[in-house]
Amino acid sequence: MVFSMLLNFLYPPPASAAITAISAICLLAMINGGWMEVIGKNMQYSKLLRVDDATKEKPKVSVKLGMIGAYSPAFLAGFFSLLAFPIGDLRFALLRAAIILHFFKRLLEVLFVHKMSAMMEIEAMFAISTSYFLSSATMIYTQQLMIQLQEPPIDLKYIGVSLFLVGIGGNFYHHFLLSKLRNKGEKQYKIPQGGLFSLVICPHYLFEIIGFLGISCISQTVFSVCVGLGTTFYLMGRSYATRRWYQSKFEDFPKDVKALIPFIF
């Protein structure tokens, strides 16, 4: 009964053991990643980078270079899919456009918006890069398999486009606010101000989740839903760890500012 209800919103899973396995692995890996953030085993980059005897010898790059390395393969996967799959329907076109736009925006932000002073372990760069690349490439490939199938009875792609645009818009706005916290040459962290920062410490993560949920609605495949849910769980953990970091560094950190969801979490 539950499965038949879900088929009102989703394409049936493709007859591919590989994609089924990747869907499960993607979701479980990102849930585990979120839990690792909660218990203090953080992805090693930016303010949550740990520097001690156990990690100081690990190879690192600047966060700027690391993020370019993390986002570029996923962007290229979207771009080259235009050559690999030149024919598709409107949903396929919207999905590819969303993936390309999302990662192109992130690259532009890294190059021209963010003021980064921290380092990133190369291991973290490869982990993030691999996750984004496999998720993007598999979403596109799975969507291509759906083109000849009957669409789900309930069409969510236009709702998905709206959510995606709200997500990338809100994400960019709060990244822009973060970039204005420090003047040129400053490296010290400050408590973010403006926008939804008065309510949560990671509104940029909240809007990133909204963007990925929008992509899930555009696609309406089981795999895209796994990516959206996995992203949600991971960023919940990362935002929890980020709030804990601010509390440890700033005695005047507002107690009523939550991690991710206003008034709740």
Side-chain angles (χ1 to χ4, degrees):
M1 180 177 178
V2 174
F3 183 74
S4 61
M5 288 178 60
L6 289 175
L7 288 180
N8 287 321
F9 300 92
L10 300 174
Y11 287 97
S16 169
I19 292 178
T20 301
I22 293 172
S23 300
I25 292 169
C26 171
L27 179 58
L28 293 175
M30 296 189 77
I31 291 174
N32 180 68
W35 176 244
M36 291 297 103
E37 296 286 345
V38 169
I39 64 176
K41 296 182 179 181
N42 310 110
M43 188 70 72
Q44 292 297 286
Y45 68 94
S46 192
K47 63 177 66 68
L48 297 182
L49 177 68
R50 185 176 67 255
V51 180
D52 53 28
D53 291 339
T55 62
K56 66 182 181 180
E57 299 301 326
K58 289 189 175 183
K60 301 177 181 66
V61 296
S62 69
V63 171
K64 175 170 284 192
L65 182 59
M67 287 304 180
I68 290 172
Y71 298 134
S72 294
F75 168 71
L76 292 174
F79 181 79
F80 282 110
S81 74
L82 300 174
L83 303 177
F85 307 114
I87 299 175
D89 57 12
L90 176 59
R91 189 186 298 275
F92 191 38
L94 290 173
L95 174 69
R96 290 195 291 191
I99 290 172
I100 292 170
L101 181 57
H102 172 79
F103 289 105
F104 184 61
K105 166 190 152 308
R106 298 298 285 121
L107 287 169
L108 290 179
E109 288 174 338
V110 171
L111 291 171
F112 303 111
V113 178
H114 295 315
K115 294 177 181 176
M116 300 173 171
S117 58
M119 301 296 287
M120 181 179 198
E121 287 187 1
I122 290 180
E123 180 180 334
M125 179 187 74
F126 279 112
I128 297 170
S129 175
T130 301
S131 175
Y132 278 142
F133 172 76
L134 289 178
S135 296
S136 300
T138 306
M139 272 197 289
I140 291 168
Y141 177 70
T142 303
Q143 199 69 46
Q144 190 269 337
L145 296 177
M146 301 294 112
I147 291 175
Q148 301 301 323
L149 300 182
Q150 183 176 350
E151 294 222 343
I154 299 176
D155 186 356
L156 300 178
K157 63 177 177 285
Y158 297 114
I159 294 174
V161 170
S162 299
L163 287 173
F164 174 74
L165 293 176
V166 169
I168 63 168
N171 181 262
F172 172 78
Y173 173 65
H174 288 91
H175 281 160
F176 178 76
L177 292 179
L178 285 174
S179 75
K180 296 301 180 183
L181 285 176
R182 293 186 283 187
N183 296 319
K184 188 175 182 179
E186 286 186 325
K187 293 186 177 181
Q188 71 271 23
Y189 285 98
K190 301 177 182 179
I191 299 175
Q193 304 290 330
L196 291 184
F197 282 115
S198 61
L199 299 175
V200 294
I201 199 61
C202 294
H204 48 305
Y205 288 170
L206 174 61
F207 283 101
E208 185 164 356
I209 289 170
I210 292 171
F212 271 98
L213 293 179
I215 289 175
S216 298
C217 290
I218 292 171
S219 175
Q220 292 186 242
T221 63
V222 173
F223 182 79
S224 68
V225 170
C226 288
V227 171
L229 289 175
T231 300
T232 300
F233 283 115
Y234 176 74
L235 291 180
M236 287 180 70
R238 187 76 180 181
S239 66
Y240 179 90
T242 299
R243 183 176 187 272
R244 182 173 56 203
W245 182 89
Y246 274 102
Q247 288 176 312
S248 71
K249 299 297 181 182
F250 298 94
E251 292 183 358
D252 59 340
F253 182 80
K255 292 183 179 180
D256 57 342
V257 172
K258 300 297 184 180
L260 185 70
I261 303 171
F263 311 113
I264 298 174
F265 174 79

